[in-house]
Amino acid sequence: MIFNWIEWKRDSKDIPKIHPTQKPVNVLKQLIEIFTDEGDVVIDPCAGSGTTLRACMEVNRNSYGFEISKEFCKKAKEEMLIYENDNQMKIQDFIK
């Protein structure tokens, strides 16, 4: 079902504020759940703080994000994309 509005609740304190135009993770989760199916791939060409990527992890979607700013990319990796159930493979899994 597609609603004609989505409640825009701010993120809680456990989600860091990294980017000046950062969108709330819960709003992104709702949009992702409406327009994709579980297991789909979501691409965010302007990833910024990584909130779309985090929302995808939380609703079981695969995602790729691209960001030109090294500062935002670093902060997103270190602060936003820390998730308890992250079962993604990492390069360290392949290097002995």
Side-chain angles (χ1 to χ4, degrees):
M1 169 184 267
I2 298 177
F3 302 99
N4 61 357
W5 64 274
I6 292 178
E7 190 172 354
W8 191 279
K9 288 185 181 178
R10 294 180 188 261
D11 285 330
S12 60
K13 298 291 182 193
D14 63 324
I15 297 179
K17 176 75 169 153
I18 296 172
H19 195 277
T21 62
Q22 182 171 320
K23 312 305 179 281
V25 173
N26 286 325
V27 171
L28 294 168
K29 282 170 48 174
Q30 289 180 49
L31 290 169
I32 291 164
E33 287 179 321
I34 290 169
F35 293 106
T36 65
D37 295 319
E38 197 169 301
D40 279 358
V41 176
V42 175
I43 297 176
D44 186 359
C46 302
S49 62
T51 51
T52 302
L53 307 178
R54 180 173 177 146
C56 286
M57 285 192 303
E58 292 184 11
V59 294
N60 200 23
R61 272 49 168 194
N62 299 305
S63 61
Y64 294 97
F66 305 91
E67 177 55 50
I68 195 167
S69 168
K70 289 181 182 180
E71 178 184 339
F72 287 134
C73 186
K74 182 176 187 254
K75 284 185 178 181
K77 281 178 61 178
E78 293 174 353
E79 299 174 32
M80 181 65 67
L81 300 177
I82 305 301
Y83 187 64
E84 295 169 6
N85 297 329
D86 182 8
N87 60 357
Q88 295 184 32
M89 297 182 86
K90 299 182 176 38
I91 191 69
Q92 291 82 3
D93 297 335
F94 299 100
I95 300 173
K96 301 242 184 210

